[in-house]
Amino acid sequence: MMHLLLDILEASDPYTLEKFLGRVPMVFNVVILSPHGFFVQENVLGYPDTGGQIVYILDQVRALESEMLPRIKKQGLDITPRLLIVTRLLPDVVGTTCSQHLEDVYGTEHTSILRVPFRNKIGILRKWISRFECTIAHALEKTKYPKLDIYWKKFEEKYHFSCQFTADLIAMNHTDFIITSTFQEIAGSKDTIGQYESHKTFTLPGLYRVVQGIDVFDPKFNIVSPGVDDTIYFPYTEEKQQVTTILLL
């Protein structure tokens, strides 16, 4: 690191600067938004909208923390990282921690679940509501409803597709890193269109036309399949180094 720093001070060039910055931890606080289902760690077997998505996020935050801690320590930084999963507070779901505002994630030191109340005109929503009434892209993606962009006005009152597609486009193009489960989710296959690919070109008649909504070949897209072992060993040095797929890709 000191040699790289000296090279930058004496004769800076883009390659050396990129290499130096690539070794310096810069992300210490991470927030993950997940309003999907009953986001708890136990006692929810049989509840709807609860399963792979939640397990996937819990696995990834554990892997992320286990990667961040040694990196920060290795660089000699006295910083404590903080990871927060923000989800829905469900006051009336008894027998679970759905009504608990803050909960530590098992197997972590600095990761918690923060539950916030959802509201409507009457007040706080005390019970679970279906993901189809929360406008969640995971449930209402374009690929599940053929031609819904053409007939968006027909579904607007119930699903608010115009608002969702606009928000999706803004989020996709402004984020720095997108994690997907499979390649097909990004770019589809020879027979089907990908979930992200479906936002590349489409029209909402009477509202707007999208001619280049998203580039599915952008390196910001990264695949981390659910259930994978999040530690991989590469013998590219004499000492095998443990890395985490969520950061490696």
Side-chain angles (χ1 to χ4, degrees):
M1 288 294 288
M2 293 305 299
H3 284 298
L4 287 173
L5 181 59
L6 287 173
D7 290 341
I8 292 173
L9 294 175
E10 293 177 359
S12 179
D13 65 87
Y15 173 76
T16 304
L17 182 60
E18 180 182 3
K19 190 175 181 181
F20 177 82
L21 293 177
R23 296 187 180 184
V24 179
M26 295 185 178
V27 177
F28 307 107
N29 299 296
V30 178
V31 173
I32 298 174
L33 301 177
S34 182
H36 178 97
F38 296 79
F39 204 108
V40 291
Q41 302 179 77
E42 57 186 1
N43 298 330
V44 288
L45 185 62
Y47 281 77
D49 283 355
T50 301
Q53 173 76 5
I54 293 174
V55 173
Y56 180 56
I57 292 178
L58 290 172
D59 285 346
Q60 293 307 320
V61 294
R62 292 188 184 101
L64 182 58
E65 182 186 286
S66 67
E67 176 66 19
M68 293 174 69
L69 289 174
R71 285 197 178 196
I72 294 172
K73 183 178 180 180
K74 186 177 180 181
Q75 296 299 330
L77 301 176
D78 185 17
I79 296 176
T80 300
R82 182 68 169 156
L83 287 81
L84 209 58
I85 302 170
V86 179
T87 188
R88 297 157 56 187
L89 180 74
L90 304 173
D92 292 347
V93 182
V94 297
T96 74
T97 55
C98 287
S99 60
Q100 185 175 324
H101 284 277
L102 196 64
E103 179 183 4
D104 294 334
V105 174
Y106 302 155
T108 67
E109 299 178 38
H110 311 291
T111 305
S112 303
I113 301 170
L114 175 65
R115 299 184 180 89
V116 296
F118 274 35
R119 296 175 180 271
N120 60 13
K121 295 179 180 179
I122 301 176
I124 293 177
L125 294 173
R126 304 191 60 82
K127 298 182 179 180
W128 171 84
I129 57 174
S130 169
R131 56 193 168 127
F132 290 96
E133 302 174 25
C134 271
T135 311
I136 296 177
H138 179 66
L140 300 172
E141 65 243 32
K142 290 171 85 282
T143 52
K144 287 185 177 179
Y145 300 84
K147 299 182 180 180
L148 61 82
D149 47 356
I150 300 296
Y151 301 105
W152 67 275
K153 292 182 180 179
K154 180 179 178 181
F155 304 97
E156 186 67 7
E157 184 177 353
K158 184 175 183 180
Y159 294 122
H160 312 289
F161 280 126
S162 64
C163 179
Q164 177 179 311
F165 293 166
T166 303
D168 286 346
L169 284 173
I170 294 173
M172 291 175 192
N173 284 286
H174 281 77
T175 189
D176 296 314
F177 196 87
I178 298 177
I179 299 175
T180 69
S181 301
T182 64
F183 174 78
Q184 288 72 24
E185 186 177 339
I186 304 172
S189 65
K190 65 178 182 180
D191 300 316
T192 60
I193 190 170
Q195 180 177 340
Y196 288 94
E197 184 185 22
S198 67
H199 289 78
K200 184 176 182 179
T201 304
F202 66 94
T203 300
L204 300 179
L207 189 60
Y208 61 74
R209 175 180 296 176
V210 176
V211 294
Q212 184 59 41
I214 187 71
D215 179 10
V216 295
F217 298 104
D218 194 301
K220 73 169 64 179
F221 285 100
N222 297 271
I223 302 170
V224 183
S225 301
V228 300
D229 183 354
D230 59 17
T231 57
I232 302 177
Y233 290 89
F234 290 90
Y236 57 83
T237 62
E238 293 182 1
E239 179 183 1
K240 293 184 179 180
Q241 299 187 20
Q242 181 174 327
V243 296
T244 305
T245 56
I246 195 172
L247 297 178
L248 172 68
L249 297 174

